[in-house]
Amino acid sequence: MTKIKETSTNFANKKALSDECPEIYASNTIGGQWALAICCYLINGKLRFGELRKKLNNITERMLTLQLRRLEEDRIITRTVYAEVPPRVEYELTEIGYKLKPIILEFEKWGKEHKEIMRDKEIVSEPQKV
């Protein structure tokens, strides 16, 4: 996961949009393939790193670690380390993180509806055999 150079025009544009528009700010914070997926799984409660890794079977350990760190830095999740051998680490949504639940449920609903529309479009656009 590479960071955008802070001196780039792309960075300046993203920052300006994010400062002006709370929707863009929210999208930049939880957007991306993995952050939202992690939040979706944590909505149901605490999970350990290995449990998240199994649920997100296409994510690499490195990417999962980076995403968890970023979500923790953004105060969307908390990381609790238990002094055990072997060490146990659990991740959980914070209070502000749990406020994503209705939004995620709406995303799910919208996604299902949109998939259906696109599937119907494909059926209609298939060439007719004569």
Side-chain angles (χ1 to χ4, degrees):
M1 190 165 83
T2 59
K3 287 197 171 207
I4 301 171
K5 289 183 188 174
E6 291 185 22
T7 56
S8 73
T9 305
N10 187 16
F11 180 83
N13 290 341
K14 271 188 138 183
K15 178 149 180 29
L17 272 173
S18 184
D19 290 346
E20 293 172 15
C21 182
E23 296 88 349
I24 299 294
Y25 175 83
S27 176
N28 288 342
T29 303
I30 62 162
Q33 182 177 358
W34 300 114
L36 186 58
I38 290 166
C39 291
C40 288
Y41 286 116
L42 290 176
I43 281 214
N44 297 318
K46 298 176 185 180
L47 288 173
R48 294 174 71 174
F49 183 90
E51 293 170 320
L52 278 168
R53 178 79 171 87
K54 285 177 188 169
K55 290 179 183 293
L56 301 162
N57 57 5
N58 291 328
I59 195 170
T60 63
E61 284 190 23
R62 175 170 161 64
M63 181 55 71
L64 179 56
T65 299
L66 290 172
Q67 291 294 313
L68 289 169
R69 284 181 187 160
R70 190 178 69 92
L71 288 167
E72 186 179 12
E73 188 177 293
D74 290 339
R75 298 184 177 166
I76 295 170
I77 66 169
T78 58
R79 178 179 184 263
T80 306
V81 181
Y82 296 91
E84 300 174 355
V85 179
R88 178 171 52 114
V89 179
E90 292 181 335
Y91 296 92
E92 181 178 25
L93 290 172
T94 59
E95 185 179 337
I96 192 77
Y98 274 113
K99 289 184 178 186
L100 288 169
K101 187 171 186 167
I103 297 164
I104 290 172
L105 294 175
E106 282 299 314
F107 262 132
E108 178 184 19
K109 181 180 165 187
W110 183 89
K112 287 177 180 177
E113 288 176 18
H114 190 260
K115 263 185 169 179
E116 193 172 309
I117 289 168
M118 297 306 289
R119 185 175 44 247
D120 292 346
K121 177 186 168 195
E122 287 176 14
I123 292 169
V124 169
S125 66
E126 285 181 6
Q128 301 294 322
K129 292 184 180 180
V130 180

